[in-house]
Amino acid sequence: MAKGDRGARLRDRRTAGPPPAEPGAPLGDDLVQLLTPEGERIDRVTGPDGVEYSVDFSDSEYRGLYRDLVVVRRLDAESTALQRQGELGIWASLLGQEAAQVGSGRALRPQDMAFPTYREHGVLYCRGIDPIMPLGLFRGVDQGAWDPVEHKFNMYTIVIGAQTLHATGYAMGIAMDGKVGNSDDPADGEAVIAYFGDGATSQGDVNEAFIWSSVYHAPIVFFCQNNQYAISEPIERQTRIPLYRRAAGFGFPGVRVDGNDVLATYAVTRHALDNARHGQGPTMIEAHTYRMGAHTTTDDPTRYRGISEVEAWQAKDPIARVRAFLAKQQIADAGFFTEVDEQATAEAMSLRERVLAMPDPEPVTLFDHVFVDETPQIRQQRARFVEYQASFEGSGH
Amino acid sequence: MVSGVSRIRKFEMPDLGEGLTEGEILRWFVKVGDTIAQNQPIVEVETAKAAVEIPAKWPGRVTAIFHEEGATVDVGAPIIAIDTDPEAGDPPADDAPADGPAYVAEERTAVLVGYGPKTGAAKRRARKTATNGMAAAVGGAAVEPAAPPVPAPVPAPAPAVPVSVAAPVSSAPAGGRPAAVGPRVPVLAKPPVRKLAKDLGVDLTALTGSGPLGSITREDVQAATSAAAPAPAMAATAVAAPAFGPDREQRTPIKGVRKLTAENMVASAFTAPHVTEFLTVDVTRGVRALDRLRERAEWRDARISPLLLVAKAVLLGIRRYPMINSTWSAATNEIIIKEYVNLGIAAATERGLIVPNIKDAGRLTLRDLADELTALVRTAKAGRTSPADMAGGTFSITNVGVFGVDTGTPILPPGEAAILALGAIREQPWVHKGKIRARQVTTLGMSFDHRIIDGELGSKFLRDVGAFLSDPEAALLAWT
């Protein structure tokens, strides 16, 4: 961690009592990493949970991961720009967290269910959902329009940590439905992944979810993207031990992975999910990463962290290392990189055009999704509202 | 969006952060005539929540910029016009952005809360004649049936004239409330605003509030200090090539940083009785200590300057003489000694003199202090120093030595009890161990507020600062 920046100073000043047990503890043996920031491939590594992790990808699979990372980042950048141009009310950028999201998103099997926060645009992309979907939500024209059942990807949850309880309940449910632990065939069982951030670990909901899933041995993976800040609150002010070690206290394994390493994130997530689907219970994964941008477009990170810290993390960029690896291993050439960039730009331009063309919703649609089945009261309220709207000159809208 | 929109498109100030109503133009990155690409950063805007760069919504050529740097612009008001098809020759005359007296919104401006952008007098759709009790009940007394459109209480927007600076907030109280005159009435302001005013040395009673019920807002306070920030480019040009009129005189309006500096200096010079003392010291050992520091691995990437040594000397001195780090509070009839040291560093920038400070510098390690100094100077030079960075200083250092002068008699920043000037460090003949040697010598000048600090205390402090600079190792051993 960089020294002497504003963030460090704030942390220092606000620390009450003794300093945290491991302030900015160096990341050592307990960090699962398969691809270094320089693009060097580590063949296999044993995690703090005693498991040996590795991946065995074909060249085209490596290229596919790179393509995902680049496209996801480009779409995110376009969304940020759209907010700055007044086209979105707010945007929560994932910049810097692409590997954590693509690695875990691609580790999901088709039958697995994901419960996102409001920042999992990369996971959403990996689930095959049209990336336009969250933009409707952030533009305020719909409530998030994808089908959570069809794509096995729940609605974005704005309330911090609430989705971990939903996910735990869902996981307990599929276990009761007999969809877990029937065979060792990965295609045979289901598992659940719950996304949350470092800040959410301080929420009661998350701790309750840990307890329930532990006691019920629920088939769930708690995937914590530790991006080092709960908005402006640095991780050192949120915990005195590395987050993954909290899992032990709840009674299930925890593992820390380099969240800027798409390969390691994939390996760790895939292993944890398969454990869950085979009836081995929950796992907590702490993906150690960094939010390069603001918490949301409403936030100004320069107020609480320094340039030197951001620069130090820039050197650990999740995409640069994959690119270096692909080039060094001659898995991809310049033409491939150009083609991926062009695809990303084309997708971003398409996203922009479609966002600008999004129609404003009719006011009456606010009654549409209150309940699964419309109640008489809702029907009555809608009728009154329509009547009220019609009472204006030139009505219709 | 309507198809067949005009070629010249106006970009409106967006709501950048969940329900904001205005933003201040900090910096333009483009000028009229520039060709710009889509998403190229065009302007930096500061809102109540963040300073952000806005990327261009359309590619094309800039045909007009509607607000100067420093202007506060309502959400929804146009800030720039872009010719989206500059290759197609001159735009039709009726497409020119400048001459339309009333601005017609062509783009949707998304807002999350509030009543939306003030793009014109609010219109309320007329109700049909109320034909049933339900509509009347809903409408209530607020809307008369079949009434003509109700004129809104909001003021109509100013015509969008290119390069017009928004009127200062304080001179145009919203809602036309008359400024308070006659007997003094209590000032309305929320506690954080009062704190800000105190930190910035702004007299709340002298301001006219623009908030609800005439209350003073944060913006009013900032407007009184720095809102009228000058356009740095213009200022720089003026210095480089003075534009003399026929009378061979150049007139520059007194505003922005220059005005603030002047007010602060006058206020300080005529309220705090200044005493200035000088001390010439041999700093050869201190300079050598810095050289040794540079060779250490953990300091390799740090910027190490004599200013760092002086800052450290001051911080140590304050620890020994806390009264140096105090303020005279006439309002409460108290002398306030501060445990924290917000160490101000005077910086010459394009906008003029500013004194940002390092918060709680006394608690930093030397390494952290070095990084903070570097960051502070970098931020100041880039023109990105925020009002918060400048507020709340408790002791300041001005390094006039960088301009090659020996020392000066600095004037206290308001609210501070002492300020130290560091002169140039030069090789000079000096009696060292009984012989005349060429040594690194500098002169310190320190002014202090004689209401608080007597000659004895000021002299002891200055002597200690000098002692640290001439032998930092011994001073550290002796004092810490």
Side-chain angles (χ1 to χ4, degrees), chain A residues 110-134:
Chain A
Q111 67 271 26
D112 294 339
M113 181 70 187
F115 286 81
T117 71
Y118 45 79
R119 204 190 297 281
E120 266 64 72
H121 323 307
V123 184
L124 176 141
Y125 183 82
C126 292
R127 290 264 88 182
I129 299 171
D130 186 339
I132 192 76
M133 291 294 178

Side-chain angles (χ1 to χ4, degrees), chain A residues 256-271:
Chain A
R256 170 141 73 174
V257 63
D258 181 349
N260 284 10
D261 172 356
V262 69
L263 305 183
T265 305
Y266 178 96
V268 168
T269 312
R270 174 51 72 90
H271 181 268

